[in-house]
Amino acid sequence: MNWTLILGCVVILLFLLHPWMNIKTFQKVIGITLFLEIFYIIGHYVMAWPFPTPIVMGQLFVVSGLGVALGVFFSKIWPLPLEKGFERIIRTFLLVIPALGFGMGLQILLQGAFATQAIYLIFACAAWLGSGRFVREEKIRMVSNKEVKGCA
């Protein structure tokens, strides 16, 4: 049986049954997939790339769905901090570098030795986009309004 069909069913079941996935997350997957399909169709007419077949479109859905799911799981383990800074940079590297490796494995599994799409980059980008699902809630600091005496 074709790996695209099997993984497509896994992605659909994952987004239907898992409690961390909601309609907003699925809309993100559909949006990424739609952008990629339009990108490759325009690339066919402008730059003479191979026209994306229905199997390739299914592969784009599978890769973006699994990438967003990886990002959501990573976001649940290490939520996105509210403030910008060094922690966000480290968090991004710790997500994207392994996602590139997983994406290379998916590329070999789905398209073999003669790939026509950059599936490994799509997977890493989708994981990064999905990693903003959960944001860390900072504790509110209660500051008492004390009157300072003795200051001029």
Side-chain angles (χ1 to χ4, degrees):
M1 192 171 219
N2 194 356
W3 281 107
T4 305
L5 183 61
I6 294 169
L7 290 175
C9 292
V10 167
V11 167
I12 291 172
L13 286 175
L14 178 71
F15 278 87
L16 285 175
L17 300 177
H18 203 278
W20 294 346
M21 310 293 178
N22 59 10
I23 192 70
K24 198 75 165 163
T25 310
F26 191 69
Q27 286 175 347
K28 188 176 289 191
V29 171
I30 296 298
I32 292 170
T33 305
L34 182 64
F35 170 78
L36 291 169
E37 289 171 0
I38 291 170
F39 175 77
Y40 282 113
I41 288 173
I42 290 173
H44 168 72
Y45 291 111
V46 174
M47 305 179 90
W49 294 347
F51 191 80
T53 62
I55 294 292
V56 169
M57 291 185 181
Q59 290 171 350
L60 294 175
F61 171 73
V62 165
V63 169
S64 61
L66 289 176
V68 168
L70 176 69
V72 168
F73 291 144
F74 184 79
S75 175
K76 185 65 175 177
I77 294 169
W78 189 355
L80 187 67
L82 287 176
E83 66 278 346
K84 297 176 184 173
F86 190 67
E87 182 182 0
R88 281 190 177 198
I89 295 170
I90 296 298
R91 183 182 178 276
T92 301
F93 281 128
L94 288 177
L95 171 67
V96 172
I97 293 173
L100 285 170
F102 289 136
M104 287 180 193
L106 270 175
Q107 179 137 0
I108 292 170
L109 182 69
L110 294 176
Q111 293 187 341
F114 303 105
T116 56
Q117 285 77 27
I119 284 183
Y120 64 98
L121 292 175
I122 294 168
F123 184 79
C125 183
W128 175 66
L129 290 172
S131 70
R133 171 78 172 83
F134 295 103
V135 179
R136 184 180 308 149
E137 296 177 10
E138 297 292 327
K139 295 180 180 177
I140 300 173
R141 297 179 189 166
M142 298 299 247
V143 178
S144 62
N145 295 329
K146 294 184 180 178
E147 185 177 318
V148 179
K149 296 182 181 181
C151 293

